[in-house]
Amino acid sequence: VQLVESGGGLVQAGGSLRLSCAASGSISNIDTMAWYRQARGKQRDFVAIITNDGITNYDASVKGRFTVSRDNAKNTMSLQMNSLSPEDTAVYYCNAKNYYGVSVAWGQGTQVTVSS
């Protein structure tokens, strides 16, 4: 499985960005897809997850502001991010897990920078 993120960039506080993740390769191995983020000097943290059936879950820090979606026909996942704050500045990574919950792929990451 290969994952490629896109859509990062620089935005002012209060603004919005939409990230996308395109999957290719052994797509049939993928069950859940997720977003993680890593701020400079910090560990990689969970942001949001979506199952093959469209069930979602979010970290408390983004709930109500971020929305994860998935198009299984196009093998893509998106993250709509609204009301961004400087604390959301990080490299955002796409992740795919198999039906055993084991990670099978990570994207290369896309930088999101929110200015105050």
Side-chain angles (χ1 to χ4, degrees), residues 11-55:
V11 65
Q12 288 188 332
S16 298
L17 277 176
R18 185 176 182 88
L19 305 182
S20 295
C21 173
S24 61
S26 301
I27 304 299
S28 60
N29 290 338
I30 298 175
D31 179 22
T32 60
M33 297 185 74
W35 290 98
Y36 290 76
R37 65 186 180 185
Q38 187 168 18
R40 185 175 297 179
K42 296 188 177 182
Q43 66 182 22
R44 190 173 297 187
D45 291 328
F46 166 76
V47 175
I49 195 166
I50 183 166
T51 70
N52 217 356
D53 297 330
I55 298 171

Side-chain angles (χ1 to χ4, degrees), residues 72-92:
N72 289 333
K74 296 181 179 179
N75 299 321
T76 59
M77 174 180 64
S78 297
L79 184 69
Q80 177 66 41
M81 305 185 294
N82 299 328
S83 302
L84 286 162
S85 72
E87 289 69 33
D88 295 314
T89 294
V91 178
Y92 284 69

Side-chain angles (χ1 to χ4, degrees), residues 26 29 38 48 51 59 66 68 90 96 98 115:
S26 301
N29 290 338
Q38 187 168 18
T51 70
D59 181 75
F66 290 11
V68 61
N98 63 18
S115 63

